[in-house]
Amino acid sequence: MNQPIVFIDGDQGTTGLQIHTRLSGRTDLRLFTLPDVERKDPRRRAEAINAADVAILCLPDEPAREAVGAITNPSVRVIDASSAHRTQEGWVYGFPELDLGQAERIAHAKRVSNPGCYPTGAIALLWPLVKAGLIPADYPISVHAVSGYSGAGRAGIDLYEAPGSAAAPAFQVYGLGLSHKHVPEIQHHAGLSQRPFFVPAYGAFRQGIVLTIPLQLRLLPSGVNAKRLHESLLRHYEESSHVQVMSPEWAAATTHLDPEALNDSNELRLAVFSNEAHGQVLLAAVFDNLGKGASGAAMQNLDLMLRAM
C-alpha cells in the first residue's frame, strides 16, 4: 500500500504545531502542509484537503466548517480538532475510550471530531457513572478545571511568554457568562439531561490540567458510595492503554494534584476522593491539555484510522 497522505490545515497553531512535531519523523505516511504564502488561499487549501487521505483540521470553528464544505473527494477522511462538529450528527466522537466499540467506530469513520481538552476529563469521569446509573442524568453537575495557559492558544502563550509577561496574572477564572463552548459537548457526551455548570481557569504554567467534579452522596441513588464509583470507573477502563484509574489507597494518600504531572504524554489519570463522614466525593482527572486533551488524542485517532486503511 502507498503511504497515506496526511494534510494538516492550520499547522501554525498550538495544536497543529504539536501534531506536526509528532508526525514529522514518521515513515509510514506522507505529511503535507501548505507553505506560508498559500495558507490563506482558499483554492490551494481546497486542493490540498481533497488530495489527502486524512486531513487534520487545526482551525477555529468557522474555518473548519468551511474546510469541510470544500471537500469534494469522497475518499477524504477528516479529524477536526475544532469544536465545530463535536455534537453534530454524522461525526464520530474521537474519544476511543468512550465505550466498547468506539475505537472501531473511529477507525472506520469518514468524519471524526477530536474532543475538547476540558471535556476529555469531564466526560471520562461522568459518562461511565451516568451510564451505570450511579449518577442520575439530571444531577446538578459542577465541573471545575484549571489549565495551563497554552489552552488559550497563541493569545495565552503571548500573554505569558512575550516581553512584559511578568505582569500576567498568576491565576484567572474565566467563562463567567456561563456559556463556554465546551458545555454542550460535556452535556451531550456525558449523557446529562441538564446543562452542567462549568468553571474554567488558567494558571501561570504552560500546559496540563486538573479537573474536578464534586458529588453529594445524598443526591445519588441509595447505596452509591466512593467504592462503587471507583469500581465502575475501573471496570470501564480496565482495557484502556491510556487511561489510569488510581486506587483508593493512592487517593487516600494523595494530598494534592499536580496539573503538570502527565505533561508530554497521552495519559489520562482518574481518581475518586471521598470523605464518607461528610457524605462527599470528589471525582478528579489529570492530563496534558496539549496531549490527551488535543494533539495526543488526534494522534491516537489518526493511528486507528490509518490501521483500517
Side-chain angles (χ1 to χ4, degrees):
M1 176 184 172
N2 293 329
Q3 291 176 313
I5 299 171
V6 176
F7 169 56
I8 305 175
D9 194 356
D11 65 312
Q12 294 305 297
T14 308
T15 298
L17 282 169
Q18 289 258 330
I19 292 173
H20 190 281
T21 299
R22 289 168 182 254
L23 290 179
S24 60
R26 299 220 352 204
T27 59
D28 60 326
L29 53 83
R30 285 184 288 163
L31 180 60
F32 180 67
T33 59
L34 289 172
D36 289 345
V37 295
E38 297 181 357
R39 286 198 178 102
K40 294 185 179 181
D41 182 337
R43 182 184 59 82
R44 283 295 295 124
R45 289 177 61 218
E47 289 174 351
I49 197 169
N50 281 290
D53 293 294
V54 182
I56 304 177
L57 309 181
C58 302
L59 304 165
D61 288 3
E62 192 52 39
R65 292 187 186 97
E66 292 170 359
V68 173
I71 296 174
T72 57
N73 180 353
S75 298
V76 176
R77 307 175 74 191
V78 176
I79 299 173
D80 182 12
S82 82
S83 62
H85 300 103
R86 290 177 186 157
T87 61
Q88 186 166 320
E89 188 175 350
W91 288 73
V92 174
Y93 194 56
F95 183 40
E97 299 86 358
L98 183 70
D99 255 325
L100 189 65
Q102 189 70 6
E104 192 67 14
R105 286 188 281 273
I106 292 167
H108 296 282
K110 286 285 189 182
R111 302 288 183 264
V112 174
S113 57
N114 216 51
C117 55
Y118 293 123
T120 294
I123 293 162
L125 289 166
L126 290 169
W127 169 237
L129 305 179
V130 172
K131 182 180 66 169
L134 301 182
I135 296 178
D138 63 352
Y139 187 96
I141 293 291
S142 292
V143 179
H144 302 264
V146 182
S147 170
Y149 55 76
S150 60
R154 178 56 56 189
I157 292 172
D158 288 346
L159 177 63
Y160 283 89
E161 296 183 3
S165 61
F171 183 85
Q172 52 185 323
V173 176
Y174 67 104
L176 301 179
L178 305 180
S179 59
H180 194 285
K181 67 179 183 178
H182 286 333
V183 173
E185 180 183 353
I186 294 171
Q187 180 178 350
H188 181 79
H189 293 291
L192 302 174
S193 63
Q194 303 296 318
R195 183 180 177 89
F197 265 94
F198 176 48
V199 185
Y202 291 131
F205 53 96
R206 195 175 204 275
Q207 62 196 83
I209 286 178
V210 166
L211 179 145
T212 57
I213 301 172
L215 299 173
Q216 299 283 353
L217 292 179
R218 61 184 171 79
L219 300 180
L220 301 182
S222 176
V224 175
N225 55 22
K227 181 174 184 291
R228 289 188 62 190
L229 295 169
H230 172 266
E231 288 173 348
S232 183
L233 289 173
L234 193 62
R235 277 194 304 273
H236 186 90
Y237 295 110
E238 60 186 349
E239 296 183 9
S240 299
S241 57
H242 294 290
V243 182
Q244 314 164 10
V245 179
M246 309 310 289
S247 69
E249 293 76 19
W250 182 92
T254 297
T255 58
H256 69 280
L257 293 173
D258 178 4
E260 300 178 280
L262 296 178
N263 278 3
D264 301 315
S265 82
N266 195 42
E267 301 304 298
L268 172 62
R269 179 176 296 163
L270 308 179
V272 179
F273 299 92
S274 68
N275 187 313
E276 299 283 342
H278 297 315
Q280 295 178 324
V281 164
L282 187 70
L283 307 177
V286 175
F287 55 107
D288 183 357
N289 62 293
L290 298 181
K292 185 62 171 166
S295 59
M299 292 301 89
Q300 194 177 348
N301 291 325
L302 176 65
D303 286 338
L304 287 169
M305 296 166 77
L306 292 177
R307 284 201 293 269
M309 292 179 68

